[in-house]
Amino acid sequence: MSSGLFLCTCIVLFGMGALGTFLNRRNFLIMLLCIEVMLLSVNLVFLTGSVTVDDLNGQLMALWVLTAAAAETALGLALCVLYFRLRSTLDVELISLMKG
């Protein structure tokens, strides 16, 4: 398979994630999912470049991005649960009320 197909897929996935993040300013959980789609598209770019150049550095970077994405997801879901217990909603516009 050509790497051009994978890179076009990455562009489409990243665009969908960015568009979903910017268009959906209400639900925190959907914003987290859109950010995850963007991170997975970046992983696909790293893996495609690694296979194309026949180097392991891209695969190591993809592993590092997956680790950072897992930490971001765990922290985001913990904040989501905490906020839902406090306010009984996941409306992003009300998060600024948590400043203390």
Side-chain angles (χ1 to χ4, degrees):
M1 284 215 116
S2 72
S3 62
L5 180 65
F6 286 113
L7 292 178
C8 288
T9 305
C10 295
I11 291 171
V12 169
L13 283 174
F14 193 85
M16 285 172 43
L19 192 65
T21 302
F22 292 125
L23 288 181
N24 179 25
R25 290 288 187 177
R26 304 282 299 176
N27 196 342
F28 185 67
L29 198 59
I30 293 177
M31 286 178 66
L32 278 177
L33 287 174
C34 290
I35 291 170
E36 288 297 319
V37 167
M38 291 168 58
L39 286 173
L40 288 175
S41 72
V42 169
N43 274 342
L44 193 56
V45 167
F46 283 138
L47 292 174
T48 302
S50 176
V51 168
T52 302
V53 182
D54 195 25
D55 189 18
L56 288 178
N57 288 334
Q59 294 176 16
L60 292 175
M61 283 297 293
L63 186 63
W64 185 79
V65 169
L66 277 175
T67 305
E72 176 256 338
T73 301
L75 184 65
L77 288 176
L79 286 173
C80 188
V81 168
L82 178 71
Y83 184 71
F84 187 77
R85 285 183 183 174
L86 186 66
R87 301 273 182 209
S88 297
T89 184
L90 290 177
D91 195 3
V92 176
E93 294 174 357
L94 299 175
I95 287 181
S96 63
L97 297 175
M98 289 182 70
K99 292 180 183 175

